Amino acid sequence: MQRGKMGRILIVDDEPHMRRILVSNLRQDQHQTWEAAGVQEARRHLATSDYDAVFTDQKMQDGEGLEVLKAARESDPSLSVVFLTAVGTIELAVESMRHGAFDFLAKPFQPEVVRAAARRACEQTRLRRENELLKGAVVRLEGTSEIYGRNESIVALREKIARVAPTSATVLITGETGTGKELVARAIHHSSPRSSKPFVAVNCAAFTETLLESELFGHEKGAFTGADRSRQGLFEAAHEGTLFLDEAGEMSLAAQAKLLRILTDGQLIRVGSTKPRTVDVRVLVATHRDLEQRVREATFRQDLYYRLAVVPIHIPPLRERRDDIPGLCQMFSRQIATDLKLPQRRISATALQSLMQYGFPGNVRELRNLIERAYILSTQDEIGPENFPVAPASDVPAAVNNNGHKDSGHLPSPESPQQSFDLTAFLEKTEKELILKTLASTGGAQAEAARRMGLSRSALAYKLTKYGIKPAGE
Ligand SMILES: Nc1ncnc2c1ncn2[C@@H]1O[C@H](COP(=O)(O)OP(=O)(O)OP(=O)(O)O)[C@@H](O)[C@H]1O
Ligand SMILES: [Mg+2]
């Protein structure tokens, strides 16, 4: 192994036999090792010496691995802690990753696996220390600020990103299309010690089975028809950086087996080769599919799923955080105006109201596209509701006919199935009712009604003529 990569490693386990195995494995790579037989002893070591990595058992006679993790964090926040887990304690391992553990190793261990984990852990500690020196901060939040959201789910999401970013943990990002999965992956990379190294994104659904394998893992010359020279794969291209596997639910079982190998011992084999190559890549995975379901159907490996789901991040659909819609509209309106070199436009209150009730099957991406389309297609200095889709048809008759004037501001529920209907007629009817309702509530005062609906007076006057509305007193 390369000089400078060996480290000072503290081994915490109450079984002398376990400690012996680890010591002998780690010494092969010239690491220096220290042993602690329990939590108390580990605390004393951590308080008095510096280490580059800690390997700790989970359950010991005088306490738990999590206490060791906590003590390690207190002595040096950059220190990587690796958990040693026994069969059937995967839950605990997952929990420890949530608390900031760097990695976990399942007993019984293979010597190469232990050594690879030690290498990565020491390297990670070193990177974090360097990073802290350079940046003067323990956690860098850049990149996450672009993820807009005041809803508590998004606030929690940003916090989670800040916590997982400095580790090398694999993260499984789930959410419907357009919720911001790739945005989250990029934010994790940018806030991580790997930010100056490549971020490589690959859409697994875009390749056939065989192509995906050679794309990810590379191939040797002659591995298949057309492979006229050997080529490195994306994992090698992402060395020391982050690989983002989008639509990972679509990977073939063969590719899944290879991915599992990389995640457990950092090794890959190119298609058509037998020689393992070592790579240091942090893997982030996204899917809009229910992977647990795929595991049940046996199209997704369970062991891989557990590896990937160590740190799950779920992004809720936009319709479950509607309070963020106005803020997102503002932000996108500003961005789009700048991009298109147009003056920024107001989004009228009625337009906003219809957006607040819409279902957004395409989530945040759809919202951005809608605003962009309104900028391009409309020439008015205010974006009105006619630019936006309304709720689906099935509820329309109920909303328009049955409710009549009583509850005309209410738009039909957006989640119901789509049917064809006359959009223009529906929009006009709704708009007319809204105007009538607003005028009624202002006692016929047009200036005030226009203000409440976010319309200019002349726009309201135009609409009054169009719908043949004669306000009281005129
Ligand atoms: N919270 C947010 N703040 C700002 N922009 C966002 C937010 N969420 C999503 N976006 C924007 O919405 C668009 C879609 O996001 P992204 O591509 O990350 O979604 P995705 O979940 O990967 O979608 P898909 O499953 O279709 O690939 C991007 O332009 C992204 O910048
Ligand atoms: Mg995506």
Side-chain angles (χ1 to χ4, degrees):
M1 87 176 294
Q2 286 165 280
R3 262 186 63 79
K5 289 224 174 151
M6 61 269 229
R8 297 163 54 89
I9 302 180
L10 177 65
I11 297 163
V12 190
D13 200 314
D14 52 3
E15 285 176 55
H17 167 68
M18 271 298 157
R19 295 202 301 271
R20 253 197 323 277
I21 296 179
L22 287 168
V23 166
S24 78
N25 283 333
L26 296 173
R27 291 224 169 128
Q28 284 181 37
D29 276 350
Q30 278 78 49
H31 294 294
Q32 288 177 272
T33 55
W34 282 263
E35 296 175 46
V39 179
Q40 292 312 327
E41 209 183 318
R43 280 213 181 93
R44 274 199 299 280
H45 276 280
L46 288 163
T48 52
S49 297
D50 281 331
Y51 299 96
D52 298 311
V54 177
F55 279 55
T56 181
D57 192 16
Q58 294 199 118
K59 291 223 173 283
M60 287 163 285
Q61 273 150 21
D62 70 339
E64 302 207 349
L66 281 178
E67 297 169 62
V68 175
L69 173 68
K70 194 156 165 269
R73 275 284 136 100
E74 279 162 11
S75 83
D76 175 2
S78 304
L79 188 53
S80 306
V81 178
V82 176
F83 276 70
L84 310 171
T85 74
V87 185
T89 58
I90 188 91
E91 252 82 19
L92 268 175
V94 169
E95 179 71 2
S96 63
M97 296 295 281
R98 284 206 186 103
H99 283 87
F102 170 70
D103 202 353
F104 62 88
L105 294 178
K107 293 177 190 173
F109 346 97
Q110 304 291 313
E112 318 83 74
V113 176
V114 172
R115 287 160 58 195
R119 234 172 6 241
R120 285 199 302 262
C122 292
E123 177 71 1
Q124 180 74 10
T125 304
R126 198 179 59 72
L127 279 174
R128 274 194 223 152
R129 282 180 186 148
E130 256 173 26
N131 209 46
E132 272 173 56
L133 283 177
L134 290 173
K135 307 292 183 319
V138 178
V139 176
R140 293 165 63 210
L141 285 164
E142 295 150 36
T144 56
S145 59
E146 311 162 27
I147 301 177
Y148 174 87
R150 297 183 182 193
N151 183 282
E152 57 188 16
S153 64
I154 304 300
V155 174
L157 177 80
R158 276 195 298 265
E159 283 169 8
K160 201 161 181 185
I161 291 172
R163 261 182 291 130
V164 298
T167 74
S168 265
T170 307
V171 180
L172 173 64
I173 309 164
T174 56
E176 291 178 9
T177 178
T179 46
K181 297 185 292 296
E182 178 155 356
L183 190 66
V184 167
R186 287 180 187 278
I188 292 174
H189 174 74
H190 283 299
S191 321
S192 83
R194 296 169 180 261
S195 61
S196 62
K197 297 286 160 65
F199 174 86
V200 177
V202 50
N203 182 350
C204 300
F207 298 94
T208 63
E209 263 187 34
T210 28
L211 254 173
L212 178 65
E213 265 185 70
S214 99
E215 201 59 37
L216 290 178
F217 310 106
H219 62 250
E220 294 300 343
K221 185 175 172 180
F224 48 84
T225 337
D228 47 6
R229 58 189 182 92
S230 47
R231 199 172 141 238
Q232 73 164 20
L234 294 171
F235 267 99
E236 286 173 75
H239 185 58
E240 297 190 320
T242 304
L243 185 75
F244 173 50
L245 291 172
D246 206 355
E247 305 294 356
E250 317 305 312
M251 289 178 93
S252 68
L253 286 165
Q256 289 175 32
K258 290 194 164 183
L259 174 58
L260 184 64
R261 169 127 196 226
I262 293 184
L263 293 176
T264 44
D265 60 14
Q267 293 196 324
L268 66 80
I269 294 176
R270 289 182 179 179
V271 175
S273 166
T274 49
K275 185 179 141 219
R277 292 162 194 269
T278 305
V279 285
D280 167 22
V281 174
R282 191 217 192 136
V283 178
L284 303 175
V285 164
T287 179
H288 67 277
R289 287 200 187 263
D290 182 353
L291 281 190
E292 279 177 310
Q293 170 72 23
R294 302 215 110 197
V295 168
R296 281 193 296 276
E297 291 165 356
T299 49
F300 204 85
R301 290 179 69 121
Q302 185 169 33
D303 46 6
L304 178 59
Y305 173 70
Y306 282 135
R307 266 275 158 182
L308 297 179
V310 165
V311 181
I313 290 189
H314 178 70
I315 317 176
L318 186 55
R319 64 180 175 280
E320 285 173 17
R321 45 181 163 111
R322 292 184 194 276
D323 49 333
D324 275 344
I325 293 174
L328 282 167
C329 286
Q330 276 292 323
M331 183 178 82
F332 290 145
S333 172
R334 221 176 17 245
Q335 287 174 3
I336 291 161
T338 312
D339 287 354
L340 299 176
K341 300 193 172 55
L342 289 170
Q344 195 182 330
R345 295 184 195 156
R346 251 177 63 82
I347 298 171
S348 80
T350 32
L352 200 56
Q353 193 185 353
S354 67
L355 288 176
M356 290 293 278
Q357 314 224 18
Y358 178 59
F360 290 105
N363 292 292
V364 183
R365 178 186 296 116
E366 185 178 10
L367 175 59
R368 193 180 200 286
N369 289 346
L370 285 173
I371 296 176
E372 185 164 26
R373 197 180 63 182
Y375 262 87
I376 293 168
L377 295 183
S378 146
T379 49
Q380 312 204 310
D381 53 5
E382 182 174 81
I383 299 174
E386 66 282 0
N387 292 286
F388 300 130
V390 259
S394 55
D395 287 350
V396 171
V400 176
N401 302 335
N402 302 348
N403 292 352
H405 292 267
K406 271 211 337 272
D407 188 19
S408 51
H410 171 79
L411 284 170
S413 147
E415 280 91 6
S416 44
Q418 209 92 30
Q419 287 171 11
S420 69
F421 71 106
D422 186 339
L423 177 65
T424 315
F426 172 68
L427 274 176
E428 290 185 343
K429 179 125 192 166
T430 312
E431 188 171 59
K432 182 176 176 185
E433 285 171 359
L434 263 174
I435 294 170
L436 284 169
K437 195 179 163 188
T438 311
L439 278 171
S441 69
T442 64
Q446 286 186 40
E448 175 60 14
R451 197 191 60 76
R452 285 193 197 172
M453 288 185 283
L455 292 171
S456 66
R457 281 200 67 172
S458 50
L460 179 61
Y462 165 80
K463 288 177 195 292
L464 294 179
T465 317
K466 173 178 169 190
Y467 297 126
I469 302 172
K470 293 202 171 52
E474 281 177 36

